[in-house]
C-alpha cells in the first residue's frame, strides 16, 4: 500500500478514536435469572460493565423496592477487583489494579436477593451524586458518565390468568368440534 | 543519647526527624497544604519508606473509604486533603506510582496536546507533495 495512503488511513482511524472517546460512557447492566422467581425464593444477580476507557475502580448503590426484594448476605466482588471498605456498608465497591480495567461485559459483583412479595420488582443501580467513593474513576483522572440497565424479576404466571387461558382454549376447541360436526 | 536521637535528620533536609513532617523525603519548607500533619512530600507514601510503589497501593486498599475520625483513617492516604479517602486519592496515588512517560510529558510541555492526531495527516500530505514533485 502506498505509504501516504496508509498514513492517511491511520490518521483517519485516530480521528475516529478521538471522537468516540469524547462521547464515551460506561454501561452498567444488572443481569438476573430468566426463569420465574417465586415469592420466598432467593436468586442471584450479576452486575457487569462495558467500559469505554480504563477505570481504576467502581462504586455503586443497588436500587429496589424493599417491600418486594431484600439483599441476602454480602455481595461478592469479582476477583479482578480488590474488594474494599464501602462507606455506605453495601459492599459494592472495587478497586482496580494500577493499570486500570477495561473491556466489555466485565463482571463487577454478584449479589444474592430474596423475593419477598409479588409485584414489579425492578433491580437497578445508581450512584450518589458528589460521593467520590462511588462511580467509575477513569485512569488517570476524572469520572466516566454512566448508563444503567435495570433488571425486572420474572414472576410466575398468575394462577387466575392460567385458568382463564385454559378455559378459553377448552371452549374454543369445543366450538371448533361443534362447527365441524 | 536522647539529644543525639533528637538531632537525627534521615532525609538531610535540615529538619530533625523529631519535628520533620516528612522524614523520609527532603522537604526543607515543610509544606503541608491540607494541614493534616503529613508533609506534602509524603502524601501517598503510606508505608513511609521514601518511595511510591505497590506497597503503598496495598496499604491504600485497606484504608479506602475511611474518613477523618475513623480509627482506620490514614492521613498520608488522603492525598487531596478532603478528610476522606476516595477514588480521587487513588487516582493521585496511581499517578505517583506510575509517572507519565517522558515523551508524553515533553509533548505537553511543548503545548502540542490535542494536535498529536493531526501529525500523521501532515506527514502524509508532505509525502504526497514530495511524490508529485518527483513525478513532475
Amino acid at each position: 500500500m502506498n505509504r501516504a495512503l496508509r498514513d492517511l488511513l491511520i490518521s483517519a482511524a485516530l480521528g475516529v478514536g478521538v471522537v468516540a472517546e469524547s462521547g464515551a460512557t460506561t454501561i452498567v447492566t444488572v443481569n438476573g435469572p430468566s426463569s420465574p422467581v417465586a415469592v420466598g425464593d432467593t436468586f442471584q444477580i450479576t452486575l457487569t460493565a462495558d467500559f469505554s476507557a480504563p477505570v481504576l475502580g467502581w462504586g455503586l448503590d443497588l436500587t429496589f423496592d424493599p417491600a418486594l426484594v431484600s439483599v441476602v448476605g454480602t455481595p461478592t466482588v469479582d476477583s479482578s477487583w480488590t474488594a474494599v471498605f464501602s462507606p455506605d456498608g453495601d459492599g459494592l465497591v472495587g478497586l482496580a489494579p494500577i493499570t486500570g480495567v477495561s473491556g466489555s461485559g466485565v463482571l463487577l459483583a454478584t449479589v444474592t436477593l430474596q423475593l419477598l412479595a409479588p409485584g414489579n420488582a425492578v433491580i437497578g443501580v445508581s450512584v450518589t451524586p458528589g460521593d467520590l467513593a462511588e462511580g467509575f474513576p477513569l485512569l488517570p483522572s476524572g469520572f466516566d458518565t454512566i448508563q444503567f440497565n435495570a433488571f425486572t424479576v420474572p414472576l410466575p404466571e398468575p394462577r387466575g390468568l392460567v385458568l382463564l387461558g385454559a378455559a378459553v382454549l377448552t371452549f374454543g376447541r369445543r366450538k371448533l368440534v361443534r362447527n365441524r360436526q | 543519647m536522647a539529644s543525639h536521637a533528637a538531632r537525627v535528620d534521615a532525609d538531610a533536609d535540615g529538619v530533625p526527624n523529631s519535628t520533620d513532617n516528612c522524614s523520609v523525603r527532603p522537604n526543607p519548607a515543610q509544606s503541608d497544604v491540607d494541614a493534616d500533619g503529613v508533609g506534602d512530600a509524603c502524601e501517598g507514601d503510606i508505608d513511609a519508606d521514601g518511595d511510591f510503589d505497590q506497597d503503598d497501593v496495598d496499604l491504600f486498599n485497606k484504608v479506602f473509604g475511611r474518613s477523618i475520625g475513623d480509627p482506620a483513617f490514614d492521613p498520608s492516604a488522603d492525598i487531596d486533603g478532603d478528610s476522606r479517602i476516595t477514588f480521587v486519592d487513588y487516582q493521585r496515588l496511581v499517578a505517583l506510582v506510575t509517572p507519565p512517560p517522558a515523551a508524553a510529558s515533553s509533548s505537553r510541555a511543548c503545548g502540542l496536546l490535542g494536535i498529536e492526531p493531526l501529525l500523521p495527516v501532515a506527514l502524509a500530505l508532505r509525502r504526497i507533495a514530495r511524490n508529485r514533485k518527483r513525478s513532475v
Side-chain angles (χ1 to χ4, degrees):
Chain A
M1 190 190 295
N2 186 321
R3 275 185 77 182
L5 184 63
R6 189 196 64 187
D7 288 348
L8 268 177
L9 286 174
I10 291 171
S11 60
L14 278 170
V16 168
V18 168
V19 170
E21 199 178 60
S22 63
T25 296
T26 290
I27 302 167
V28 184
T29 304
V30 183
N31 313 278
S34 53
S35 51
V37 177
V39 172
D41 283 357
T42 58
F43 59 99
Q44 285 194 328
I45 58 160
T46 58
L47 309 179
T48 56
D50 300 327
F51 297 118
S52 59
V55 299
L56 280 175
W58 58 272
L60 293 168
D61 291 324
L62 213 55
T63 61
F64 53 83
D65 183 347
L68 300 179
V69 173
S70 69
V71 175
V72 178
T74 310
T76 305
V77 173
D78 186 63
S79 58
S80 53
W81 311 90
T82 301
V84 291
F85 171 75
S86 63
D88 59 6
D90 64 6
L92 289 173
V93 187
L95 285 181
I98 58 171
T99 48
V101 169
S102 56
S104 294
V106 178
L107 181 59
L108 306 178
T110 305
V111 187
T112 303
L113 301 163
Q114 184 176 30
L115 187 64
L116 302 174
N120 187 31
V122 178
I123 317 292
V125 279
S126 69
V127 167
T128 307
D131 186 348
L132 299 176
E134 290 187 0
F136 289 89
L138 292 165
L139 181 69
S141 62
F143 285 75
D144 207 0
T145 52
I146 314 168
Q147 181 189 317
F148 301 114
N149 293 325
F151 169 75
T152 304
V153 181
L155 299 173
E157 283 291 317
R159 206 170 281 172
L161 272 179
V162 173
L163 286 173
L164 184 69
V168 167
L169 278 176
T170 309
F171 283 120
R173 196 176 165 191
R174 272 190 188 177
K175 202 174 180 184
L176 196 69
V177 171
R178 274 186 198 164
N179 287 347
R180 280 187 183 168
Q181 285 171 351
Chain B
M1 195 71 178
S3 61
H4 173 72
R7 276 184 275 122
V8 170
D9 179 13
D11 57 5
D13 62 358
V15 182
N17 285 3
S18 54
T19 55
D20 196 343
N21 64 13
C22 178
S23 61
V24 291
R25 299 172 70 86
N27 61 332
Q30 296 288 289
S31 173
D32 180 14
V33 170
D34 58 9
D36 63 356
V38 177
D40 295 342
C42 272
E43 296 283 4
D45 183 14
I46 304 168
D47 60 0
D49 66 350
D51 61 16
F52 304 106
D53 56 18
Q54 186 60 42
D55 294 336
D56 298 301
V57 174
D58 293 342
L59 289 174
F60 182 90
N61 291 343
K62 293 176 181 168
V63 297
F64 178 87
R66 306 290 178 173
S67 299
I68 197 159
D70 186 323
F73 179 78
D74 185 334
S76 62
D78 180 22
I79 303 173
D80 65 354
D82 68 348
S83 304
R84 201 168 171 225
I85 300 165
T86 66
F87 285 133
V88 175
D89 299 302
Y90 190 45
Q91 287 168 326
R92 294 194 181 184
L93 177 60
V94 169
L96 290 168
V97 173
T98 54
S105 58
S106 66
S107 73
R108 274 181 198 136
C110 293
L112 290 173
L113 190 66
I115 305 173
E116 291 94 329
L118 297 176
L119 289 176
V121 178
L123 287 171
L125 290 173
R126 193 177 153 196
R127 200 161 286 139
I128 290 168
R130 272 188 190 174
N131 289 345
R132 276 189 185 171
K133 269 188 184 176
R134 276 182 198 164
S135 62
V136 171

